[in-house]
Amino acid sequence: VLDASSGSGAKLADYFFVRLNSKIIKMNFKAGDKFTDHGPNPILPQNQKPAILTVKKNKADMGVIFDGDGDRCIFIDERGEFVHPYYMNCLLSELILKKYKKTAIAMDARLRIGLSETIKKAQGQPVVCRSGYANLVKLMQEQKILFGCENSGHYFFNFKIIDKKSNYIFGDALMPILLVLGHLKENNIHLSEATAKFKKQYFISGEINYKGVSFSSLEKKLARKYSSYKSDDLDGLSIYSPDWFLNIRPSKTEPLIRLNMEAKNKSALSQIKKEVTSLLK
């Protein structure tokens, strides 16, 4: 199931996916089709519902939703469950490192434990960057990094590494889909199976947004409470422990504070979430 969100990614997807030996159910490729229109941001649950229902109804192997301009996408597994981009970042990094050995991979600063460990296990080098399209592009150009990914479903490719002529970082939703489809077909597995090991090892909170909270005040409280742990201010405030990681930062586009947490077990995630929430009271 491919949902183009009534955006510009539809034309390019039309060109590629008719050439695959697959049955494609196209949603919102043009205005006025039988599918319910929705907003262009695929990370929002309300914009995922039509594709999830279509995957379940048709017993599809996979669903994908593009954003409005086709450089982001999110995945839905064969059970109709949203697969967080963080787990897709882990899978795609692993797939790329199988072909391009010992290369660096750029990742955003919001979640780090699982993706960093996945990249290192595959003999790659994780390079952490401030979140944001322009930041990833600049870093990849400067350090000649082949692949980059964000937890928003952005995927970046550097063609300078491949053809050694151009220096063009391209945000694209199609190549990740093709890489994942190839992996599933080659190994005769479902998407839920391909991502299961990451979900079992690394637990994430999802992005939690707060209104009316002073970032500087919360930053000071967190720095005091966790002063014994490693921290950095690359993108807001990030704090590490052996079992968990948290990042809190002010939104660049909305009057919000954004919190992301990750842990190696559910109890650690629950505990750190409880502690941070108590500081907001």
Side-chain angles (χ1 to χ4, degrees):
V1 171
L2 291 177
D3 184 342
S5 298
S6 304
S8 59
K11 262 193 173 175
L12 198 56
D14 246 340
Y15 179 85
F16 276 98
F17 287 102
V18 295
R19 288 160 173 77
L20 295 184
N21 185 26
S22 301
K23 179 185 177 184
I24 305 296
I25 298 171
K26 297 191 292 186
M27 301 178 62
N28 299 309
F29 268 58
K30 59 183 179 180
D33 66 12
K34 65 179 182 178
F35 298 102
T36 305
D37 291 332
H38 57 75
N41 184 357
I43 208 77
L44 299 177
Q46 63 266 32
N47 296 335
Q48 298 168 10
K49 286 181 181 178
I52 286 173
L53 290 172
T54 305
V55 167
K56 289 180 176 179
K57 180 180 177 181
N58 293 275
K59 298 181 180 179
D61 293 297
M62 191 172 80
V64 182
I65 311 173
F66 300 140
D67 71 342
D69 60 355
D71 62 359
R72 280 199 297 148
C73 67
I74 67 100
F75 289 79
I76 298 161
D77 70 21
E78 76 287 353
R79 301 171 301 187
E81 294 183 7
F82 165 62
V83 183
H84 195 283
Y86 187 59
Y87 298 123
M88 296 306 303
N89 292 344
C90 291
L91 176 61
L92 285 161
S93 295
E94 195 172 73
L95 296 181
I96 286 166
L97 285 164
K98 282 181 180 179
K99 184 169 184 179
Y100 298 95
K101 308 288 186 184
K102 298 182 180 180
T103 190
I105 290 181
M107 53 182 279
D108 78 45
R110 286 173 282 188
L111 295 170
R112 303 189 200 175
I113 298 175
L115 185 52
S116 292
E117 289 189 358
T118 298
I119 293 169
K120 288 175 183 177
K121 284 177 185 175
Q123 299 185 335
Q125 177 193 351
V127 181
V128 182
C129 180
R130 288 183 63 199
S131 59
Y133 193 99
N135 296 324
L136 266 290
V137 168
K138 183 180 179 184
L139 177 77
M140 290 175 68
Q141 285 177 330
E142 290 175 349
Q143 299 194 25
K144 300 179 181 179
I145 294 174
L146 172 64
F147 175 66
C149 50
E150 277 194 297
N151 294 313
S152 58
H154 262 135
Y155 303 101
F156 305 83
F157 297 84
N158 187 342
F159 290 95
K160 183 175 183 179
I161 306 296
I162 297 170
D163 64 22
K164 299 181 181 179
K165 296 177 182 178
S166 59
N167 185 21
Y168 187 63
I169 312 296
F170 187 69
D172 178 63
L174 293 182
M175 282 188 284
I177 299 168
L178 296 172
L179 285 167
V180 170
L181 286 173
H183 176 65
L184 300 184
K185 182 179 179 181
E186 182 182 339
N187 294 279
N188 193 27
I189 58 174
H190 292 297
L191 183 57
S192 64
E193 296 171 285
T195 55
K197 65 179 180 180
F198 306 118
K199 291 182 179 181
K200 287 177 182 176
Q201 285 180 283
Y202 308 109
F203 299 86
I204 59 176
S205 64
E207 192 157 79
I208 304 169
N209 296 311
Y210 296 99
K211 285 184 178 179
V213 176
S214 165
F215 175 74
S216 59
S217 175
L218 182 56
E219 183 181 32
K220 289 173 184 176
K221 288 180 181 179
L222 286 167
R224 280 198 302 268
K225 184 171 181 64
Y226 301 111
S227 59
S228 61
Y229 295 110
K230 180 183 174 184
S231 66
D232 69 59
D233 59 357
L234 175 65
D235 193 353
L237 174 67
S238 296
I239 301 174
Y240 314 71
S241 94
D243 298 316
W244 55 261
F245 170 86
L246 73 84
N247 171 265
I248 193 155
R249 65 189 184 91
S251 169
K252 304 296 188 294
T253 56
E254 299 176 86
L256 299 170
I257 301 299
R258 304 194 189 278
L259 170 66
N260 284 275
M261 294 172 286
E262 179 181 12
K264 291 189 174 182
N265 58 72
K266 286 183 178 179
S267 60
L269 181 63
S270 177
Q271 180 62 31
I272 191 63
K273 186 176 180 179
K274 183 178 178 181
E275 290 176 5
V276 174
T277 302
S278 69
L279 295 177
L280 292 165
K281 295 179 180 178

